[in-house]
Each structure stands twice: as C-alpha cells, then as structure tokens.
Amino acid sequence: MYQEQYRWHREADLTDIVARQGGEAALRYWNTGLQPESKDDASPVTIADRESEQLIARAIEEAFPEDGLLGEEGSAKQSRNGRRWIIDPIDGTRDFVRGNRAWAVLVGLEVDGEVVAGSAYLPAMGEMFTAWRCGGAFLNGAPIRASEISAPSQAVLCVNQFSNVRGQAFAGELLDWMAQFWAVRSMGGCLDAMMVCRGQADLWLEISGKPWDFAPLKIIAEEAGAKFFNFDGGSSIYGGNCVICGPGMEAAARQFLKI
C-alpha cells in the first residue's frame, strides 16, 4: 500500500511545478488589456497561452523525454512508453483577457489511458490543487474532500456552458431540475469543479469540454472522494462532457441524465 500511495508522487510534484511556472508566465500578461486572437473553433488564444504551454512542454520533456505530450495550443509528441502529459496552459482565456480571476493552468499525466496525476493552478487566486492515484487530493498542500450532502435542497449546483444547453437531451428539463437546488452557480469550468472537490459545491455539469479541460480535474475529483462520469455513463476525459459530484449527489445526477 505504501508503494502504491507514493508511486506517482514524483510526477505529481512535476505537475505542480510546471503548472506554477506556466501560471507565473501567464500572470505577466494578465489584466494588461491583452487582446486575443480567434482560433478555428472561435475560441480565444493569446501570447500568454502559447508562452505558458511552451514553457510547460519544455520542462516536461527535460524531466521525462520518453513521455508523450498533448497541449491545447499545439504541443504534440508521440509517447514511447504509454505515458502522455496533457496541458491546458490557460483554461478560461475569456476570463483571463477580461481581468477576471477564474482562469487556471491544467496539467495531467495519462498512463495507459488513465489519468494518474494532475494539478489545477489558479494563479490569480494563489490556489494549487494537486492529486495523484492513491495519494489523495490537496489544496496548497492541505487535504481536501468532497461533500457528503445528498439532498438537492441543501446542495449547490454548478453548470458550465449554458450557451451550449440547446441541443442537449435534457435542455427542456434543466430549469425545473435546477429549481430544486439550494443554489446554482456558474463561476467557470475549473473553478466550479474545484469547488466540488473541496466541498464548497456538490455537483458540476460541464456540457462541452476537451481532454485538456478534464485531465487533472478527473484525478483531483476522484482522489477527493468525488465522482467523475460522462453524460452517457462512461468515465473518460475524451467524452466531450462530464459530471463531477460528491458521492451523495451521484444518484440525482444519473437520474437527471437518464444513465
């Protein structure tokens, strides 16, 4: 058990280090009126995104030259050993360019298809969330745990990507379902997810996302005692959407999604 608990500790330390380095690089541009460009999918990107990702990718390659890379801004390297690092240099670029604090640097390590370590760093808030398989989940070094709340009337629900609700199978039922919760929030993807992981919220619906949006969130959630699953009942960072919830809210989420 001891060996398993610390098996991925070195890799988790690296996710922490490189996420912090990437965040410090991005902070130099934050709240400066930086203007974004638009990518092919209409999402914004800035020089801060690119510089942060390049810095993170270089540091990972130096530490683990056999490992693969997948980054939102184009970092790509074939793995030679079944290990791949997944990078989102600025999750929440729209918040970043408008001077809001709800943006993060996300770094996760996937081994043979499973995320085993990851960090989510919110530089403007000074919050570093880190986890590794069988090692626990932490905020700035202190353990965190998801809530045990099971009654929606006492629970905080977070929903991201309201603009993409149309077209979802549950679109016509969402407002009535939300009405049963104690409160509803939409602070931003990573921030909402980390609120669940630290017990400040109880259920998060993310309607649209990529693997770099989900990789570290999945391992942090699971190690904090929360549940991670897709709208079709799977549990993949490649599912295009996800639920993160405390264990007491899993049944309510699955019932709503009909899975």
Side-chain angles (χ1 to χ4, degrees):
M1 179 62 184
Y2 179 87
Q3 287 183 332
E4 186 65 23
Q5 183 178 1
Y6 289 96
R7 181 179 179 186
W8 305 109
H9 192 270
R10 180 189 174 201
E11 286 84 350
D13 281 347
L14 183 63
T15 65
D16 187 315
I17 291 167
V18 298
R20 193 176 301 277
Q21 290 174 343
E24 289 172 354
L27 274 173
R28 295 199 295 269
Y29 298 97
W30 178 62
N31 213 10
T32 63
L34 185 68
Q35 293 300 306
E37 306 167 27
S38 289
K39 296 189 287 190
D40 291 343
D41 63 357
S43 63
V45 63
T46 69
I47 186 175
D49 296 76
R50 297 188 177 107
E51 185 176 311
S52 175
E53 180 165 307
Q54 289 167 5
L55 188 156
I56 292 169
R58 283 197 302 268
I60 290 172
E61 285 191 278
E62 289 176 7
F64 295 101
E66 300 295 309
D67 293 4
L69 292 170
L70 173 65
E72 180 179 10
E73 307 310 334
S75 294
K77 178 184 174 185
Q78 195 71 26
S79 174
R80 302 175 187 172
N81 54 14
R83 295 164 45 114
R84 181 166 69 167
W85 298 79
I86 303 175
I87 307 163
D88 189 344
I90 299 180
D91 179 66
T93 301
R94 291 181 177 86
D95 287 303
F96 178 87
V97 299
R98 300 197 67 173
N100 297 331
R101 297 175 181 270
W103 57 277
V105 181
L106 307 180
V107 182
L109 172 62
E110 179 184 53
V111 178
D112 297 328
E114 291 293 329
V115 183
V116 299
S119 288
Y121 180 43
L122 290 95
M125 298 182 180
E127 294 185 339
M128 174 70 76
F129 296 85
T130 304
W132 65 95
R133 182 67 65 213
C134 297
F138 304 87
L139 166 57
N140 294 341
I144 56 173
R145 198 73 185 164
S147 164
E148 296 289 339
I149 288 174
S150 58
S153 62
Q154 299 298 313
V156 175
L157 168 68
C158 299
V159 182
N160 200 34
Q161 297 282 349
F162 274 110
S163 57
N164 289 333
V165 169
R166 184 178 298 171
Q168 298 292 322
F170 54 74
E173 304 169 30
L174 182 59
L175 283 177
D176 286 342
W177 186 67
M178 289 194 306
Q180 68 183 309
F181 285 85
W182 183 52
V184 179
R185 303 282 184 262
S186 184
M187 308 293 290
C190 175
L191 180 55
D192 287 345
M194 293 302 98
M195 287 174 63
V196 175
C197 293
R198 69 197 295 187
Q200 294 178 331
D202 307 286
L203 198 163
W204 175 57
L205 292 182
E206 172 57 86
I207 293 170
S208 177
K210 303 291 186 180
W212 43 75
D213 298 313
F214 298 147
L217 307 189
K218 185 175 190 291
I219 185 67
I220 294 168
E222 291 172 345
E223 289 298 317
K227 304 296 182 180
F228 177 104
F229 51 93
N230 308 119
F231 293 1
D232 64 0
S235 183
S236 171
I237 62 172
Y238 302 96
N241 51 54
C242 82
V243 174
I244 290 178
C245 64
M249 296 306 302
E250 181 178 7
R254 289 186 180 274
Q255 182 180 18
F256 175 65
L257 295 170
K258 297 179 174 60
I259 56 175

